[in-house]
Amino acid sequence: MTDYVSTTPGLFPLPDWAKDDLSDLKGHQKGDLISGDESEEITAAYTEAREEVIGVQEEAGLDRIVEGQLRWDDMLAHPLAVHDAVETRGIVRYYDNNNFYREPVVQGDLEFSGDVASELETAAELTDDSDDLQAVLPGPYSLADLATDDHYGDEADFLAATADFLAGEVDAFPDHETLFLLEPSLVESAPGDGQDERASEAIDTVANATDADVVVQPYWGSLEEKVYAHLLDADIDAVGFDFVANQDENVYNLQEYGATDAVSLGLADGQNTLVEDPEAIRDRVDWVYDQIPVTEFETVYLTTNTETFYLPAGKFEEKLAVLAEAADLAEVKAA
């Protein structure tokens, strides 16, 4: 019987009060943080905001609880932006939208940082059940794609070093049930011949650093065929599909190449304030099954197609409740 799991890719919006408080404390808006050595007041604000978003997830009834990544002012680039061997430079457009991050320029060996592990340890202390905890990281291909290498000197070496760095970070994580690796660059800056296989190997390196279930979540479209085929070779538990941005090509990949034993379905819009109906989300799950030869997955993750950073806090909370109810409805129907 399929297990339906409600979750998110993390990267939550700050609560409204925290946006105001942190803006006053930092003197600017989220997205421009000079990350690394926050003051006690800033740390306290993030601590309170983290507690709030974890409580919101639990109240909504989500099956997996994330830390929220509220400190990730540089979005997916965050693990490098706060690293001692990285210099952050000018503001860069985050893919093709109106959000920005500071360009991380790697100038030395990417040794262990522990920044994300520290956040996750705090989250673990706040969750009701450690079996619900989900870790979130940028995938190695996306993190390398967003960065500039001024140290390793070779694209393949830099990707491998980025993967080793992330694997070291994961190895320090507290016990977690699931790890989401966010890989929008696999869609937005698709790897070419040879590089697609290396991207899969890099993901494999990170996945092998944890005993948790690993979900690779691309978004903002569909994977090219060869990229998808190579991704299936990685030692991962599930591939994510953005069915909000692209239905036909995602269905084609599933039909043509099959899937892992589990699947992550991005069925709620992480950037649109329109709140979906739980029954509609459940019906979209049925629609996916109708399109593909797979009769049953071991696990189906129901999630937003992208991070929810773009949403107003109120709409964000409503989306969480919708996902939780949709998963419950799907469980009941499958029983």
Side-chain angles (χ1 to χ4, degrees):
M1 180 177 171
T2 300
D3 184 20
Y4 291 91
V5 176
S6 54
T7 188
T8 70
L11 283 165
F12 290 165
L14 281 163
D16 290 337
W17 66 265
K19 290 180 184 177
D20 294 337
D21 287 4
L22 287 166
S23 177
D24 291 341
L25 288 168
K26 300 174 192 175
H28 48 68
Q29 297 295 322
K30 180 174 167 61
D32 300 327
L33 172 63
I34 306 300
S35 304
D37 299 318
E38 293 94 343
S39 68
E40 291 184 5
E41 291 84 0
I42 289 175
T43 298
Y46 277 125
T47 298
E48 185 177 350
R50 181 187 298 114
E51 292 175 358
E52 182 171 323
V53 297
I54 288 176
V56 165
Q57 292 172 84
E58 292 180 332
E59 185 176 350
L62 286 181
D63 296 307
R64 296 289 183 271
I65 306 298
V66 302
E67 184 269 336
Q69 294 70 53
L70 302 177
R71 285 180 58 245
W72 292 25
D73 286 36
D74 295 294
M75 304 296 281
L76 293 181
H78 172 85
L80 290 184
V82 296
H83 195 283
D84 289 342
V86 175
E87 177 187 353
T88 51
R89 294 182 183 169
I91 300 299
V92 182
R93 185 180 295 274
Y94 180 62
Y95 298 112
D96 193 24
N97 59 46
N98 290 322
N99 286 283
F100 300 86
Y101 67 100
R102 292 172 303 140
E103 179 190 14
V105 181
V106 177
Q107 299 182 322
D109 289 345
L110 291 177
E111 298 176 345
F112 175 72
S113 165
D115 181 85
V116 180
S118 176
E119 293 179 333
L120 200 61
E121 287 170 359
T122 304
E125 295 171 359
L126 296 171
T127 54
D128 293 337
D129 187 344
S130 61
D131 290 343
D132 296 341
L133 188 63
Q134 175 178 300
V136 172
L137 276 178
Y141 180 75
S142 292
L143 187 58
D145 177 54
L146 293 171
T148 296
D149 171 33
D150 272 2
H151 176 68
Y152 292 94
D154 177 83
E155 187 178 77
D157 290 345
F158 181 50
L159 177 58
T162 303
D164 288 340
F165 161 64
L166 289 174
E169 300 303 293
V170 170
D171 189 55
F173 285 179
D175 290 341
H176 51 289
E177 189 72 12
T178 311
L179 169 63
F180 261 50
L181 295 177
L182 309 186
E183 282 282 17
S185 285
L186 287 178
V187 174
E188 290 287 318
S189 305
D193 289 343
Q195 192 183 29
D196 48 10
E197 186 173 0
R198 291 193 296 271
S200 177
E201 291 170 352
I203 289 169
D204 195 67
T205 295
V206 182
N208 283 324
T210 180
D211 293 328
D213 292 334
V214 178
V215 179
V216 176
Q217 191 79 20
Y219 46 94
W220 289 325
S222 64
L223 296 174
E224 294 181 359
E225 290 182 56
K226 285 189 64 178
V227 175
Y228 180 67
H230 279 299
L231 183 56
L232 292 179
D233 291 334
D235 186 17
I236 59 177
D237 298 277
V239 175
F241 297 87
D242 180 351
F243 279 108
V244 175
N246 188 304
Q247 296 180 356
D248 293 343
E249 292 178 26
N250 278 318
V251 165
Y252 174 82
N253 282 338
L254 285 165
Q255 291 173 336
E256 192 72 15
Y257 299 100
T260 45
D261 291 335
V263 66
S264 177
L265 304 180
L267 296 173
D269 196 328
Q271 301 179 73
N272 194 313
T273 56
L274 177 66
V275 178
E276 296 85 353
D277 183 79
E279 287 81 3
I281 298 293
R282 184 206 58 196
D283 290 345
R284 292 172 193 174
V285 175
D286 294 341
W287 178 85
V288 173
Y289 268 111
D290 289 343
Q291 310 305 310
I292 60 178
V294 178
T295 57
E296 187 173 85
F297 293 102
E298 291 180 4
T299 305
V300 173
Y301 296 91
L302 299 185
T303 181
T304 54
N305 66 318
T306 69
E307 65 268 35
T308 52
F309 164 76
Y310 315 94
L311 296 175
K315 295 295 184 180
F316 152 73
E317 294 179 13
E318 292 182 53
K319 296 267 186 177
L320 300 188
V322 165
L323 289 168
E325 187 174 348
D328 290 342
L329 291 171
E331 291 276 7
V332 169
K333 185 171 182 179

